[in-house]
Amino acid sequence: MTNTATDTATDTATDTATDTATDTATDPQAPAAAPANAVLRVPPASPAAAAAYFGASLAFHADVSDVAAALAAALASGEDPGFVVIDSRSTESWDQGHVPGALHLPTALISEQAERLLDKSVPVVTYCWGPGCNGATRAALALAQLGYQVKEMLGGMEYWIREGFEFETWEARETREADPLTAPVGAENCGC
């Protein structure tokens, strides 16, 4: 009974949407239907377009938790993670705290130092301060223009620290409690 009711509701909604679109298309004077809300003011992309967009996004971005997990697994196994992490910030920022094992290569120095420090066959993951900073994006662009495969680490150093991952300062290594707004408390990972 529920399936029949659902099918009927779906058919009715589809027929109504099709009829409205047909009426508007055939009568240019017909008023456009008001969007249901601000979320749907611009309709969602087709599933194929969405798959292409989100697939491309994952080709350009890595998240803090995935980078941390890959680095931890490589450290535990003694194997190379298959990528190098680049901190594109200033020396003062680097000294304040950076991802352990990252290479310090400020964006302004990429064009003159990248080829000496990096192997073009090894993917690069860039990071900067955080979501409000586009320094990692600029660094990724500079590296890509030199022929490197590159991803940007979303969240940057801010989310590395907020998610409770160890970081290194000029003095020592530190870890802070995970922010429960960015990482689950007492869990290995967020499950996403």
Side-chain angles (χ1 to χ4, degrees):
M1 190 72 166
T2 305
N3 288 342
T4 305
T6 304
D7 292 343
T8 302
T10 302
D11 291 343
T12 302
T14 303
D15 290 344
T16 302
T18 303
D19 291 344
T20 302
T22 303
D23 292 345
T24 304
T26 57
D27 181 5
Q29 301 301 319
N37 57 52
V39 172
L40 299 174
R41 188 170 297 137
V42 174
S46 71
Y53 172 83
F54 293 118
S57 179
L58 292 172
F60 298 113
H61 301 109
D63 102 355
V64 166
S65 294
D66 290 342
V67 172
L71 292 175
L75 183 62
S77 69
E79 295 180 11
D80 188 284
F83 61 90
V84 63
V85 178
I86 298 291
D87 184 316
S88 65
R89 301 171 303 149
S90 68
T91 299
E92 295 81 10
S93 300
W94 168 267
D95 288 345
Q96 187 173 323
H98 56 271
V99 172
L103 179 66
H104 185 220
L105 182 56
T107 302
L109 300 177
I110 288 174
S111 62
E112 64 186 65
Q113 294 184 8
E115 296 207 9
R116 182 174 53 81
L117 299 173
L118 301 171
D119 179 344
K120 286 190 178 175
S121 68
V122 178
V124 177
V125 176
T126 64
Y127 74 88
C128 200
W129 274 111
C133 174
N134 66 2
T137 306
R138 287 194 307 270
L141 173 61
L143 288 162
Q145 289 173 330
L146 292 173
Y148 292 91
Q149 299 172 69
V150 63
K151 289 188 173 200
E152 177 183 6
M153 184 173 80
L154 297 176
M157 194 64 201
E158 176 187 349
Y159 276 73
W160 185 272
I161 293 170
R162 288 181 72 186
E163 290 191 22
F165 298 118
E166 184 179 58
F167 62 98
E168 199 167 30
T169 71
W170 68 276
E171 295 179 303
R173 289 189 177 209
E174 294 182 36
T175 304
R176 295 187 185 163
E177 289 294 317
D179 179 341
L181 296 176
T182 65
V185 176
E188 287 287 319
N189 61 53
C190 66
C192 58

